[in-house]
Amino acid sequence: DDSTVSWFSESVDIEVDLPEGITHIGDNAFKGRRLDFVNLPSSLIYIGKHPFALTSPFRIKSKSTRFTVYRDCLIDNESQSIIHNVSYSGEIEIPTRIKRIEDYAFSRLQDTPYTASFYENAMNDEIEENTISIVIPGSVEYLGNNAFENCNIREVVFLGIPSYIGKDVFKGCEQLKKIYVPFNAKSEVSSFFDN
């Protein structure tokens, strides 16, 4: 949990190699830390709430069958949820099997934006440099609190409407200009963002 790792310096990138035998990672375990690499053991069976909230991007490897890494997303295969995205790149693809985007799943430290691809920026002169676009598949039923906090996203495309959208989903997303939603869903979605 957060009290156990509080001795880590917040200004230094750290490597976390959790040994075999570790079964649990507690709530907020690495929240707000600068991470370089995290290795998860095969013995891991539980990850608490938003363990990597507001961290820097980092590399991750998992030997666990329950918690796997796919396209820079740490995924809980049991709940089909994204626990955290660790990508440096702005080329983010949320798998269509995902049902939940957990609290703080794409959150970042303020000074660690996603790096947009040259191709994406070159295709449109109106796009602000180093901003990204995110598509949320129709399979997503839960969009957690602060899910995209401090992300340098310019637009979000919803292919469906989650039945739950948390608070402060786009907190600190100062470059966010557009949110696209399915036809006839504008009023339904606007009520979610009033909180």
Side-chain angles (χ1 to χ4, degrees):
D1 64 24
D2 192 38
S3 62
T4 305
V5 297
S6 61
W7 54 270
F8 284 135
S9 170
E10 292 184 17
S11 61
V12 176
D13 290 356
I14 57 172
E15 290 191 16
V16 180
D17 188 3
L18 298 174
E20 287 300 327
I22 296 290
T23 58
H24 289 63
I25 295 176
D27 296 352
N28 302 307
F30 303 101
K31 184 176 182 178
R33 307 296 179 204
R34 291 191 170 280
L35 301 172
D36 180 48
F37 176 74
V38 175
N39 185 32
L40 303 177
S42 61
S43 55
L44 190 65
I45 58 171
Y46 175 85
I47 294 180
K49 295 178 184 176
H50 32 79
F52 302 106
L54 301 168
T55 56
S56 61
F58 58 94
R59 296 170 295 125
I60 189 167
K61 183 177 179 182
S62 177
K63 296 175 188 166
S64 170
T65 55
R66 177 172 175 181
F67 304 105
T68 57
V69 179
Y70 177 78
R71 298 194 181 222
D72 293 328
C73 289
L74 177 59
I75 295 174
D76 181 339
N77 291 314
E78 193 172 285
S79 64
Q80 293 299 303
S81 62
I82 293 178
I83 296 170
H84 198 71
N85 177 277
V86 300
S87 179
Y88 291 86
S89 166
E91 297 175 12
I92 295 169
E93 180 183 335
I94 298 172
T96 55
R97 66 186 170 105
I98 293 300
K99 295 181 180 174
R100 295 174 59 91
I101 296 175
E102 298 296 345
D103 297 355
Y104 295 94
F106 288 84
S107 66
R108 314 289 268 197
L109 283 172
Q110 282 190 322
D111 63 344
T112 58
Y114 287 100
T115 303
S117 69
F118 172 79
Y119 173 78
E120 187 174 8
N121 283 337
M123 294 304 293
N124 189 337
D125 292 336
E126 297 175 15
I127 292 176
E128 293 180 36
E129 189 174 346
N130 275 335
T131 60
I132 62 169
S133 176
I134 294 181
V135 176
I136 299 176
S139 60
V140 174
E141 300 167 354
Y142 178 95
L143 183 56
N145 298 326
N146 304 78
F148 295 96
E149 185 170 339
N150 295 336
C151 286
N152 54 319
I153 51 179
R154 70 175 172 279
E155 64 183 19
V156 178
V157 178
F158 283 91
L159 298 181
I161 302 302
S163 53
Y164 176 83
I165 297 179
K167 294 184 179 183
D168 297 325
V169 172
F170 299 109
K171 180 180 179 181
C173 297
E174 296 173 5
Q175 296 165 333
L176 181 59
K177 304 273 192 269
K178 297 177 183 175
I179 298 176
Y180 296 96
V181 296
F183 186 71
N184 290 333
K186 186 176 179 181
S187 61
E188 182 182 345
V189 172
S190 64
S191 66
F192 285 123
F193 296 106
D194 289 340
N195 56 21

